[in-house]
Structure formats: structure tokens, C-alpha cells
Amino acid sequence: MIDDSTIILFDGVCNLCNGFVQFVIRNDKSKKFKFGSLQSASAQHLLTKYDITNELKTVILISGGKVYYKSTAALKILKQLNFPLPILYFLILVPKFIRDYFYDIISRNRYKWFGQKDTCMIPTPELSSRFIE
């Protein structure tokens, strides 16, 4: 059974998404987050459990039984990282439709702007315990 208390689901072949995961790992000294590629069987199980449409265009945060998408997920993740990153949470005051408008532009163009891999990232042995599969 997967402990899904605080999990970040991400597009495993997206260079931008992988970069974001590496950024979170570096700035999550208390190791609050676990990670899962949206392409993995474990992530598919969580998508079904939470009745989430499998959409590879967004980062998904599952925390405390709640599901967050897009800019809200990103901001809630930043809020839990090491100082000074939580300061950026003030952007939650920007209306969601505005935040997600810009998020969607980046999401639609992420492969063109940042590239993609043929396969999902394979975590190092030191990081494997932080990944759900």
C-alpha cells in the first residue's frame, strides 16, 4: 500500500518537471515529499483512488487526502520548502484563473521550450526511498 500523505506526481519524461522535482529534493531538507511519475503504475493507482483524470499537463500534489493541481500545487509545495521559498506563497493571493492561465501556457510549451526524455527519471539509490515506485 502506498503512503500517500504528501506526494508530488509529475510528468516523468518532461525535463522541466524533472528539474522541478530535483529543485524540491534539494530544498526539502526534512524530506516531507515523496514523488511519483505520472507514467508509473503507483501513480496510476493514486489517480484512480482520488478519481483524478490522467492529465500529464500538470503537477499534482496529494497532501492530507486532498488533491491540488497546477499553480496551487506548485505554491503549496513551495510553502513547505526551506526558507526563503515559502515567501513565494503570497502569490496564492493572485486569483487562480490568472495563475493557471500562465501555468497552462508553460505547460503547453514545456516540451518545446525545455525538451523531454525518452524514459522516466531513475532515482539514485540514495533517493529511491523518496519515490513511490
Side-chain angles (χ1 to χ4, degrees), residues 2 9 37 40-47 132-133:
I2 303 167
L9 300 178
S37 164
S40 72
S42 296
Q44 292 300 309
H45 168 77
L46 290 171
L47 295 175
I132 61 172
E133 188 168 60

Side-chain angles (χ1 to χ4, degrees), residues 2-21:
I2 303 167
D3 171 20
D4 55 353
S5 56
T6 307
I7 295 177
I8 298 171
L9 300 178
F10 65 100
D11 180 355
V13 298
C14 168
N15 287 339
L16 176 63
C17 304
N18 278 291
F20 180 69
V21 167

Side-chain angles (χ1 to χ4, degrees), residues 81-93:
L81 297 178
N82 298 333
F83 185 81
L85 295 167
I87 293 171
L88 295 173
Y89 190 70
F90 82 90
L91 292 170
I92 203 79
L93 299 172

Side-chain angles (χ1 to χ4, degrees), residues 19-54:
F20 180 69
V21 167
Q22 294 300 321
F23 175 81
V24 171
I25 289 169
R26 282 191 311 274
N27 290 284
D28 179 24
K29 301 300 182 200
S30 60
K31 300 180 181 177
K32 298 174 192 166
F33 294 104
K34 291 201 179 261
F35 306 90
S37 164
L38 283 164
Q39 292 87 351
S40 72
S42 296
Q44 292 300 309
H45 168 77
L46 290 171
L47 295 175
T48 301
K49 177 179 177 179
Y50 287 97
D51 196 26
I52 302 169
T53 303
N54 186 5

Side-chain angles (χ1 to χ4, degrees), residues 97-115:
F97 75 92
I98 294 171
R99 288 185 280 119
D100 283 350
Y101 172 79
F102 290 103
Y103 184 99
D104 288 340
I105 290 171
I106 295 168
S107 177
R108 272 193 309 274
N109 293 290
R110 70 190 187 284
Y111 293 149
K112 182 171 39 173
W113 295 344
F114 301 98

Side-chain angles (χ1 to χ4, degrees), residues 56-107:
L56 296 179
K57 297 177 187 158
T58 183
V59 64
I60 299 169
L61 172 64
I62 301 172
S63 182
K66 295 183 179 179
V67 179
Y68 304 95
Y69 305 89
K70 299 185 181 188
S71 64
T72 303
L75 290 171
K76 287 194 173 282
I77 292 165
L78 290 173
K79 182 180 180 184
Q80 296 183 56
L81 297 178
N82 298 333
F83 185 81
L85 295 167
I87 293 171
L88 295 173
Y89 190 70
F90 82 90
L91 292 170
I92 203 79
L93 299 172
V94 175
K96 184 178 182 324
F97 75 92
I98 294 171
R99 288 185 280 119
D100 283 350
Y101 172 79
F102 290 103
Y103 184 99
D104 288 340
I105 290 171
I106 295 168
S107 177

